[in-house]
Amino acid sequence: MTAPGPDEVELARAIPGICIEKTNWAELAGILKGARFVIGNDTGPSHLAAHMGVKGLALFGTHMPAERTGILTENFGAIEVDDLSALPVARVFDEVERRIAHSNSV
């Protein structure tokens, strides 16, 4: 499921799955509440998920260290790289897999 911003709708439609094109914050919180894991970038939906206690991972470029944004919680982490376009999908997948396995073993 993707929840794109207004300028990302066309790109999100190209990704297999459900694209939630129009939602408000309360509706988004309801959707996030049921999520098993959230992957996002440094945007409002990721921060909302993190502070709702949802498990997840945010992808950060060099604009701001994740530590300074308040997104890092017990359940929500971050991958920080110099160039997000060069971030290998395998690295993201491995981190998601590690975090899900860790949360299932606790």
Side-chain angles (χ1 to χ4, degrees), residues 1-103:
M1 179 178 310
T2 60
D7 59 337
E8 302 166 326
V9 172
E10 289 305 315
L11 176 62
R13 285 182 185 158
I15 299 170
I18 298 168
C19 178
I20 302 168
E21 294 183 32
K22 295 181 182 179
T23 186
N24 62 41
W25 287 105
E27 292 167 338
L28 182 59
I31 293 166
L32 291 170
K33 182 179 174 183
R36 180 169 182 216
F37 199 91
V38 170
I39 302 170
N41 54 358
D42 182 18
T43 60
S46 295
H47 287 269
L48 180 60
H51 293 285
M52 288 176 58
V54 177
K55 292 174 181 56
L57 183 66
L59 310 178
F60 276 74
T62 58
H63 70 285
M64 171 84 63
E67 184 177 283
R68 291 186 58 200
T69 68
I71 200 167
L72 301 176
T73 67
E74 181 179 334
N75 290 326
F76 217 92
I79 292 177
E80 298 178 76
V81 294
D82 289 338
D83 181 2
L84 282 171
S85 67
L87 176 60
V89 172
R91 180 171 174 200
V92 176
F93 182 80
D94 289 347
E95 183 63 17
V96 170
E97 199 170 52
R98 185 187 73 74
R99 289 179 166 279
I100 289 174
H102 178 264
S103 67

